Amino acid sequence: MDCESSQPVGQSQDDTVLNLSTESYFTVDWKQEFQADTEQAILNPYPTDKVMPAITRLLSSLCERFQLSHSIEFSAIDTLEQLLVKVLAAHDDSAEENFLQQAPLYVLTVLNLVGKYLNSSTLLDPRLMQQLLERTNPELVWSDGRLREMEFDVLKALNYKISESLLLGAVERFSKDYILTLGIARKNTIGDVGVKLLRVVYARKHAIYTSLRSSVNSEDMFVQFKSNRLILAAAVVMSILELCQVDDRQIHVRVVESLSRECFVDPMNIIFLKDAIFNVIN
């Protein structure tokens, strides 16, 4: 992976890069969302790591097939993980087994829900959905009625709340504030690299954090560190900076110090996480 921009087939350039406009959908107190998200993750440390990589790859391939934006892709991944946490939190082995058996159905259902949430005009081709299911699991039946039924079940499990990806939003904000202003690369190039990195991070998150476990003093501290998406966003942004081949050491120091203040964390924590991301890439 490098800082040379590329464009997936079937998507416009605007759909494949980060939103680095001067406007942001975040409110002034945008970090409160991350604090609540981190606290929720700490309180519900159910292991989704083994399941999510396969689900992430499936969802990313479906988004490419349906020509959906990365905003829908990453928000759907977050939503699926929240749904899986709810299933695991019930401590019901049969419910977990049922979820895994019907994973392709849940993926398509969540993708359809998130797509409509972020863009009301989004409509997945039902014939293509049926074809995809027949390839992955011929026993699963897809119909409009089944879709509505599963959408209701998913919304109920999530307390009727679907949100945009916090990780994506933070990467966009940090990239705009601390990389775009440097003038080191075009906006589309920075955004394209950011999207590629996020796909790697979502798919390999378990390996990334596992490699750092021995460096953290206690399990509680590790859970807090792993649960904080803001720190992960900062590490992704530092990875973008490195992939854009910025040789000026002072720039790296200035950016990581700014990000550490944003995240209320020691700069070395961001660097360690950035290095772990590169370890799974290389």
Side-chain angles (χ1 to χ4, degrees):
M1 182 186 297
D2 55 33
C3 212
E4 183 178 348
S5 179
S6 63
Q7 180 176 329
V9 176
Q11 293 182 334
S12 68
Q13 184 69 35
D14 289 341
D15 286 337
T16 61
V17 300
L18 303 179
N19 176 17
L20 303 182
S21 67
T22 54
E23 298 179 359
S24 173
Y25 64 83
F26 283 119
T27 57
V28 175
D29 58 348
W30 65 280
K31 289 181 185 176
Q32 289 184 3
E33 295 183 69
F34 284 88
Q35 182 177 351
D37 177 71
T38 301
E39 291 173 354
Q40 187 67 24
I42 292 172
L43 291 173
N44 298 283
Y46 300 103
T48 61
D49 293 329
K50 293 182 179 179
V51 179
M52 285 308 297
I55 290 179
T56 296
R57 287 190 290 270
L58 173 60
L59 208 152
S60 294
S61 66
L62 288 174
C63 285
E64 182 178 359
R65 187 70 180 272
F66 286 109
Q67 300 182 8
L68 300 175
S69 71
H70 64 271
S71 299
I72 293 175
E73 175 185 349
F74 298 134
S75 298
I77 293 172
D78 285 350
T79 302
L80 270 165
E81 186 164 27
Q82 293 170 23
L83 179 63
L84 183 55
V85 166
K86 295 284 187 180
V87 172
L88 295 175
H91 299 289
D92 185 338
D93 292 339
S94 61
E96 180 180 351
E97 182 179 354
N98 180 64
F99 178 90
L100 295 177
Q101 287 177 346
Q102 300 190 81
L105 276 175
Y106 278 108
V107 168
L108 287 171
T109 300
V110 168
L111 196 57
N112 199 52
L113 275 174
V114 172
K116 289 188 291 187
Y117 171 77
L118 295 181
N119 184 348
S120 59
S121 64
T122 300
L123 182 64
L124 303 187
D125 184 343
R127 289 180 299 176
L128 182 54
M129 287 191 284
Q130 183 63 50
Q131 291 173 6
L132 292 169
L133 283 174
E134 288 174 354
R135 292 177 186 175
T136 56
N137 192 333
E139 297 179 359
L140 296 177
V141 179
W142 184 266
S143 66
D144 289 342
R146 181 62 172 148
L147 171 62
R148 288 192 294 271
E149 178 184 334
M150 292 197 68
E151 283 184 342
F152 177 77
D153 291 342
V154 169
L155 285 171
K156 184 177 180 181
L158 296 174
N159 296 321
Y160 303 95
K161 181 181 179 181
I162 292 178
S163 304
E164 295 180 82
S165 170
L166 288 178
L167 179 59
L168 171 64
V171 169
E172 289 178 338
R173 188 183 185 102
F174 288 161
S175 297
K176 175 177 69 68
D177 289 346
Y178 301 114
I179 296 186
L180 187 61
T181 54
L182 297 174
I184 58 172
R186 292 177 303 169
K187 179 167 65 175
N188 285 349
T189 301
I190 296 170
D192 187 55
V193 172
V195 168
K196 291 178 181 179
L197 273 169
L198 279 169
R199 289 191 177 118
V200 171
V201 166
Y202 270 110
R204 304 296 306 279
K205 189 165 60 172
H206 177 56
I208 290 169
Y209 281 105
T210 299
S211 68
L212 295 173
R213 176 61 190 91
S214 61
S215 303
V216 183
N217 292 332
S218 70
E219 181 64 23
D220 288 343
M221 290 178 63
F222 179 68
V223 170
Q224 291 182 36
F225 176 66
K226 181 181 177 182
S227 301
N228 194 315
R229 295 181 201 255
L230 204 59
I231 300 174
L232 180 56
V236 170
V237 170
M238 288 303 299
S239 300
I240 295 173
L241 185 64
E242 189 157 325
L243 285 171
C244 286
Q245 299 178 349
V246 178
D247 297 326
D248 191 331
R249 179 65 180 169
Q250 291 184 344
I251 290 179
H252 284 260
V253 171
R254 187 165 70 247
V255 173
V256 76
E257 287 181 347
S258 297
L259 290 171
S260 71
R261 288 191 292 270
E262 291 274 16
C263 301
F264 306 102
V265 69
D266 188 281
M268 288 309 300
N269 288 354
I270 298 174
I271 296 299
F272 287 146
L273 190 50
K274 182 265 295 180
D275 290 343
I277 292 172
F278 271 92
N279 285 338
V280 302
I281 294 175
N282 301 327

